Amino acid sequence: FAENLLPTKPKAGSFYMLGKVHKEYIRIPKGRPIISGCENNTERISWLCDQMGKEFVKKHKSFIEDTPDILRYFEDINENGILPDNSKPVTIDLKAMYTNIPIEEGLAAFKEQLDNRSDQTIPSTFYIELLKLVLECNIFEFDREFYLQLLGTAMGTRVAPTYANIFIAKLEKIMLEGCPENIKKFLFCWKRFIDD
């Protein structure tokens, strides 16, 4: 089992910029930093952590899988007439979310979900140690130089969206539970979608 988690040809991830050509620019578009983690040192353990964590993502009440999923939801509430009069959609965008998730808090949220598994044959602490390696050992190459990502979610790794979803679900739960009743009464629904 353990040897299957080791990379066959260890290498660093690759850093590049993806131009934001859909946004206004004068000469050169702003770029979105991308790290390709294909076949990097932690790819296989990231895959394993993702397999264990992604089952929890879809169980969160606010989870939206993709655009067709939210459109089906809107269609359903419109057809059943449960949308309150004068309702207005509001969106919130979390900028640079991945790089701003504190590692210890993200690991704690992930572990909390793993601890709820019915099958504890492999302890949660084992997966958390692997996930910690993914987050703290994200080495990538750019212009023949090697870098270690020090903050936030490891960019370019398979488990990143699952990890971010689990953390944000925990964060939104805390926020919604602490929301004053005079504001909470205006929230008809709360849905979340990670677009990257």
Side-chain angles (χ1 to χ4, degrees):
F1 177 74
E3 54 265 5
N4 291 330
L5 298 177
L6 297 173
T8 52
K9 297 179 184 177
K11 69 175 194 172
S14 301
F15 176 88
Y16 63 94
M17 296 293 278
L18 184 63
K20 295 183 177 184
V21 294
H22 61 287
K23 297 199 174 188
E24 193 173 316
Y25 62 94
I26 297 173
R27 289 182 68 177
I28 299 173
K30 290 183 179 180
R32 177 187 302 271
I34 305 288
I35 297 174
S36 171
C38 294
E39 299 179 17
N40 74 355
N41 295 337
T42 61
E43 181 184 32
R44 291 181 178 187
I45 60 175
S46 180
W47 173 85
L48 181 63
C49 292
D50 188 47
Q51 294 304 305
M52 287 312 302
K54 69 182 179 182
E55 71 176 87
F56 303 111
V57 172
K58 292 182 180 182
K59 291 180 181 177
H60 292 124
K61 186 178 175 184
S62 62
F63 175 72
I64 290 292
E65 187 169 10
D66 52 20
T67 302
D69 191 24
I70 191 69
L71 292 175
R72 284 188 296 272
Y73 175 76
F74 288 152
E75 186 177 311
D76 183 49
I77 61 175
N78 284 329
E79 285 178 0
N80 293 313
I82 56 175
L83 188 66
D85 291 338
N86 301 319
S87 294
K88 292 180 176 62
V90 176
T91 63
I92 300 170
D93 185 15
L94 300 177
K95 285 185 135 186
M97 179 182 65
Y98 282 23
T99 53
N100 284 303
I101 296 175
I103 291 176
E104 290 306 315
E105 291 177 41
L107 289 171
F110 206 92
K111 184 176 184 302
E112 187 178 308
Q113 292 295 302
L114 290 174
D115 287 344
N116 290 324
R117 294 174 295 143
S118 55
D119 181 1
Q120 293 285 331
T121 307
I122 299 174
S124 300
T125 52
F126 174 77
Y127 290 111
I128 294 303
E129 283 303 311
L130 292 180
L131 184 56
K132 194 171 181 181
L133 285 172
V134 171
L135 297 171
E136 295 179 352
C137 300
N138 194 30
I139 300 168
F140 58 91
E141 182 180 5
F142 177 70
D143 197 26
R144 297 185 186 172
E145 296 280 336
F146 291 94
Y147 299 87
L148 174 64
Q149 182 180 339
L150 299 176
L151 300 171
T153 307
M155 301 296 289
T157 188
R158 185 182 301 255
V159 73
T162 298
Y163 174 79
N165 261 301
I166 288 172
F167 174 77
I168 295 299
K170 169 86 178 199
L171 182 63
E172 75 185 13
K173 182 178 182 221
I174 292 167
M175 289 171 27
L176 291 171
E177 286 174 355
C179 185
E181 288 302 318
N182 63 336
I183 294 174
K184 199 181 287 188
K185 69 181 179 182
F186 292 106
L187 293 175
F188 171 69
C189 73
W190 177 277
K191 296 292 181 183
R192 175 175 32 87
F193 172 62
I194 293 185
D195 62 348
D196 296 338

